[in-house]
């Protein structure tokens, strides 16, 4: 009986300490970044179709992406554009574009011309708040020239933003530079 008077309080104190633990058994939600190995930009117009493709099967590995441009753009032309993101490390390749569109509030595609490339891009699809998504767009050419069209997919950008990567913030899921020529 003498020992019970010490055992019971010790047992109660142990149970109390265990129940006050700050361990949180609820796992934190993990938003794994998708692997994007292939970016395909399709540009369709009355003057012809152009395809821009970047394939990078080793990701951050030692091999540079393979960039293909199927032809030159024409001046004074409006191209209806669409973009597709694939993970070709899986068989069949996983279409990441579907996830980007489902999570439109958390993504934005940026199209940034530089060098002698004089084009204007207009967004064709938007998230639920009316902010640009950019998996569908139009590209208008004005004058002849050669330059780079950078295509960047951002995850969790600030929305709305001014259309620049610096203002958008977020994390870059993929960024590709295409050498593009606009000819008469």
């Amino acid at each position: 009986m003498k020992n019970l008077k010490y055992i019971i309080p010790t047992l109660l104190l142990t149970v109390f300490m265990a129940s006050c633990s700050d361990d949180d058994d609820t796992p934190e939600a993990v938003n794994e970044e998708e692997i994007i190995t292939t970016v395909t930009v399709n540009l369709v117009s009355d003057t012809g179709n152009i395809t821009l493709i970047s394939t990078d099967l080793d990701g951050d590995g030692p091999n540079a992406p393979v960039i293909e441009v199927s032809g030159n753009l024409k001046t004074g032309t409006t191209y209806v554009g669409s973009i597709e993101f694939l993970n070709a490390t899986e068989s069949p390749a996983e279409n990441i574009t579907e996830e980007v569109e489902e999570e439109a509030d958390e993504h934005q595609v940026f199209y940034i011309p530089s060098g002698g490339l004089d084009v204007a891009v207009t967004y064709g699809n938007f998230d639920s708040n009316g902010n640009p998504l950019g998996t569908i767009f139009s590209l208008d050419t004005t004058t002849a020239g050669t330059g780079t069209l950078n295509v960047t997919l951002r995850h969790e950008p600030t929305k709305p933003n001014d259309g620049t990567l610096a203002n958008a913030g977020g994390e870059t899921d993929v960024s590709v530079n295409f050498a593009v020529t606009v000819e008469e």
Side-chain angles (χ1 to χ4, degrees), residues 3-168:
N3 289 337
L4 278 179
K5 107 176 165 179
Y6 294 108
I7 293 175
I8 291 177
T10 303
L11 185 59
L12 289 175
L13 182 61
T14 303
V15 169
F16 176 75
M17 295 290 284
S19 69
C20 292
S21 171
D22 64 348
D23 285 345
D24 186 1
D25 293 336
T26 306
E28 207 173 297
V30 175
N31 186 11
E32 289 185 27
E33 286 187 31
E34 296 292 342
I35 297 171
I36 299 174
T37 61
T38 308
V39 176
T40 304
V41 178
N42 292 299
L43 301 170
V44 177
S45 77
D46 294 340
T47 63
N49 301 340
I50 304 295
T51 305
L52 315 173
I53 302 172
S54 172
T55 306
D56 191 5
L57 296 178
D58 71 344
D60 292 333
N63 299 323
V66 175
I67 306 288
E68 301 171 60
V69 177
S70 69
N72 295 333
L73 303 175
K74 301 291 183 199
T75 59
T77 304
T78 297
Y79 292 86
V80 176
S82 63
I83 191 164
E84 180 179 60
F85 302 103
L86 297 177
N87 174 3
T89 64
E90 296 184 8
S91 182
E94 179 185 9
N95 188 344
I96 305 300
T97 315
E98 295 169 356
E99 182 176 327
V100 168
E101 290 174 340
E102 287 170 5
E103 299 174 355
D105 291 345
E106 300 174 13
H107 292 92
Q108 185 173 347
V109 183
F110 293 84
Y111 300 91
I112 303 166
S114 63
L117 189 61
D118 189 13
V119 299
V121 176
T122 304
Y123 286 95
N125 61 346
F126 302 86
D127 65 20
S128 62
N129 296 311
N131 294 308
L133 172 58
T135 55
I136 297 175
F137 61 98
S138 65
L139 184 141
D140 293 306
T141 61
T142 50
T143 58
T146 299
T148 301
L149 180 63
N150 173 267
V151 178
T152 299
L153 172 62
R154 282 283 172 97
H155 181 75
E156 295 188 348
T158 300
K159 288 188 174 186
N161 57 60
D162 67 3
T164 66
L165 292 174
N167 181 257

